[in-house]
Amino acid sequence: MSIVDNKLQAFGKLVRKGTVVPASDRAPGPLKVGVDLGTANLVLAVTDAQNNPVAGATFRSTVVRDGIVVDYIGAVHAVRKMKADLEQRLGQPLQQAATAIPPGIRPGNAKAIGNVVEAADLHLVEIVDEPTAAARLLGVKDGAVVDVGGGTTGISVLKNGEVIAVFDEATGGTHMTLVLAGAKKLLFEDAEIEKLDPRNERDVFALVRPVVDKMSTIVARFLANHPDVKTIYVVGGACSFTEFEAVMAQHTGRRVIKPVEPLLVTPLGIAMFDNGGRQ
Ligand SMILES: Nc1ncnc2c1ncn2[C@@H]1O[C@H](COP(=O)(O)OP(=O)(O)OP(=O)(O)O)[C@@H](O)[C@H]1O
Ligand SMILES: [Mg+2]
């Protein structure tokens, strides 16, 4: 397993178990914080000064939609709560954070995201592009990052470490849940529970496969203009299905790599941009 996968796996365990890495096992220096305000999940990632995961929290929520804050008070309360929980577990305050926005978002909306972080009493160090954060964690300088989140599939092409092209399409995990709800005549909430139960993965994937085909076709079409891209890195919760990368590889003709814990790649990457306010 690669160093990045080890790091992601360790972070996943901390988040799920609600545990923290003790101070004696951390690199010296200030803690770094990343706040990811997604459509389906809010995630707070805490690392030590060497970018090793220390603690994390996720919160399922609909206060932000595709980078737009739709419930400001709700978002602030959720971030405050996650911060307070983590501070209690860590036994020390969290002071500053980096956050991220989907590519191509308007400055006003980016400001609202930043305001949420500041209203939770975290000094805002930087607002980074989500794919740039994911690429930084993965150590990707050239290739494509495809983020399959709750609301959207975002494609970003990177060259020499810079994002040179982006495309967003409104198909994500929510659409998979809608397809499942329709096929099995379930309420959305029940279909979401069914979708996330690993015991159902095979049957669920057979039903949501057309959504994955559609996402993959969109990616293939966009990347037709970027023949240099040899490798696609898929991140985001909705690519969690075991067969996801095989389907995307088939449609795009490129190598598709999915890190472990794809949902946690962007949040951990965002924390890397928290340099404590130093230039
Ligand atoms: N194990 C899983 N299997 C299938 N789908 C999953 C799994 N885990 C999470 N998801 C789906 O992933 C989606 C959330 O992913 P993620 O947290 O990356 O989105 P987000 O960042 O909140 O949204 P966006 O990036 O669109 O703003 C949800 O639709 C959720 O149902
Ligand atoms: Mg996201």
Side-chain angles (χ1 to χ4, degrees):
M1 204 185 255
S2 73
I3 293 170
V4 172
D5 277 346
N6 277 332
K7 212 180 253 195
L8 283 162
Q9 199 173 49
F11 185 48
K13 273 192 194 147
L14 293 167
V15 169
R16 270 188 290 273
K17 292 188 179 162
T19 49
V20 303
V21 172
S24 55
D25 293 347
R26 298 177 208 155
L31 293 174
K32 303 169 77 164
V33 183
V35 180
D36 185 0
L37 303 174
T39 304
N41 292 298
L42 312 180
V43 187
L44 227 120
V46 182
T47 72
D48 67 14
Q50 299 289 333
N51 304 313
N52 299 307
V54 165
T58 64
F59 187 76
R60 287 192 51 196
S61 154
T62 52
V63 292
V64 175
R65 195 173 303 138
D66 304 330
I68 295 166
V69 180
V70 291
D71 173 2
Y72 181 78
I73 305 283
V76 172
H77 282 173
V79 177
R80 274 188 194 154
K81 168 105 179 48
M82 285 195 287
K83 176 178 176 266
D85 287 351
L86 287 176
E87 286 177 332
Q88 211 217 341
R89 276 186 240 154
L90 288 159
Q92 71 182 89
L94 299 174
Q95 276 154 344
Q96 80 291 315
T99 190
I101 47 164
I105 200 152
R106 296 210 186 120
N109 294 325
K111 193 163 185 304
I113 292 278
N115 288 345
V116 170
V117 174
E118 296 218 297
D121 296 322
L122 286 162
H123 169 67
L124 182 65
V125 175
E126 182 158 356
I127 303 182
V128 65
D129 242 84
E130 287 174 2
T132 306
R136 174 105 168 239
L137 180 86
L138 299 171
V140 172
K141 292 220 157 26
D142 298 284
V145 173
V146 172
D147 183 351
V148 204
T152 52
T153 296
I155 314 161
S156 312
V157 177
L158 288 116
K159 199 167 179 173
N160 300 323
E162 298 279 324
V163 177
I164 59 158
V166 295
F167 185 73
D168 235 17
E169 158 77 22
T171 313
T174 303
H175 303 83
M176 295 176 174
T177 307
L178 286 170
V179 166
L180 191 63
K184 302 198 85 176
K185 303 203 176 7
L186 294 170
L187 290 173
F188 182 89
E189 291 72 23
D190 296 333
E192 179 74 12
I193 292 166
E194 179 140 344
K195 183 182 81 171
L196 297 182
D197 186 338
R199 288 171 304 183
N200 300 331
E201 181 175 344
R202 217 156 141 213
D203 297 343
V204 168
F205 193 74
L207 289 171
V208 304
R209 162 93 197 231
V211 182
V212 183
D213 285 328
K214 185 185 169 203
M215 290 166 170
S216 302
T217 307
I218 291 159
V219 173
R221 212 173 290 152
F222 183 70
L223 290 184
N225 296 326
H226 298 278
D228 299 355
V229 172
K230 303 275 180 280
T231 310
I232 298 169
Y233 299 84
V234 280
V235 301
C239 73
S240 301
F241 297 98
T242 310
E243 288 176 61
F244 190 98
E245 54 272 44
V247 174
M248 191 161 280
Q250 192 190 340
H251 281 276
T252 57
R254 328 271 169 133
R255 190 157 73 116
V256 179
I257 295 179
K258 179 170 68 181
V260 300
E261 306 283 3
L263 200 148
L264 300 176
V265 173
T266 302
L268 209 48
I270 297 170
M272 293 178 81
F273 285 85
D274 171 8
N275 63 358
R278 292 182 300 278
Q279 291 300 308

